[in-house]
Amino acid sequence: VTPQADLHAAHVAALNAFNPWRLAGRIAVQREDKGFSADLDWRDAGAEFSLRVAAPLNGGTYALSGNGSAVSLVSSKGDIFSAADAETLMQQHLGWALPLAGARYWVRGLPDPARPVSAEQLDAAGRWTDFSQDGWRVSVTEYTHAAGRDLPKRLFLARDSLQVRMAIKTWEQR
């Protein structure tokens, strides 16, 4: 076992124990020639989650929440939409979507343990810097030390013509 493998195992254990969690920061979404940036507040407690995207200058605020059996989206106009999964709601009402079942791991710098992963790259500290999963390329371009562990500060997610950048300002264990 190499020192990097030991560091990697310790990093994975620390991140898996980081639950429930909350992150706050900024998100920038680009699809072909359309894009926007907004504030992001994401709370995750396993089956229950809430994700709030608030764009400045009347760009719209959307709140997405779910509990494992149903997901709802509240639009900036107060309209409420429901579906069985977050991706359907996001695609229909926002024009883009993240696979939240996997992305809840990705934002912590982990691949989804239930899905195949490829093109894995680790840094000297045993942390993922790049991997591919479910057709997405996930890159952690910067880590920060928060809540007693190394967590992503900057992420880049890409699939086809969709690019999502996240700059995370704060992490909390809840």
Side-chain angles (χ1 to χ4, degrees):
V1 178
T2 67
Q4 186 186 32
D6 288 342
L7 289 169
H8 179 65
H11 178 66
V12 170
L15 293 180
N16 281 327
F18 186 65
N19 208 11
W21 52 264
R22 176 181 177 245
L23 68 80
R26 299 275 301 157
I27 186 169
V29 178
Q30 182 79 34
R31 170 168 248 145
E32 295 161 359
D33 61 346
K34 294 179 183 164
F36 75 93
S37 63
D39 290 328
L40 174 67
D41 188 313
W42 188 345
R43 299 162 194 256
D44 188 282
E48 292 187 16
F49 73 91
S50 68
L51 187 110
R52 187 171 174 271
V53 177
L57 304 173
N58 296 325
T61 296
Y62 297 89
L64 188 68
S65 59
N67 62 12
S69 61
V71 178
S72 65
L73 182 138
V74 180
S75 75
S76 55
K77 295 175 182 154
D79 298 323
I80 300 172
F81 305 96
S82 298
D85 65 274
E87 293 76 25
T88 299
L89 281 176
M90 292 176 78
Q91 193 62 54
Q92 287 175 346
H93 300 284
L94 305 180
W96 62 279
L98 281 177
L100 293 188
R104 64 183 297 268
Y105 291 96
W106 302 346
V107 295
R108 288 181 288 158
L110 291 168
D112 179 346
R115 311 288 302 156
V117 62
S118 64
E120 296 175 86
Q121 294 180 17
L122 303 177
D123 65 11
R127 305 172 300 194
W128 275 282
T129 56
D130 217 54
F131 59 87
S132 294
Q133 195 164 47
D134 291 334
W136 285 84
R137 178 175 175 212
V138 178
S139 301
V140 180
T141 59
E142 185 179 350
Y143 278 91
T144 187
H145 195 75
R149 57 196 42 88
D150 289 340
L151 289 160
K153 182 175 182 176
R154 297 192 185 283
L155 286 108
F156 177 72
L157 312 174
R159 180 178 183 167
D160 302 325
S161 65
L162 179 63
Q163 298 178 355
V164 179
R165 287 180 170 74
M166 292 184 200
I168 300 166
K169 293 177 188 163
T170 59
W171 279 102
E172 297 173 21
Q173 187 155 9
R174 303 200 43 91

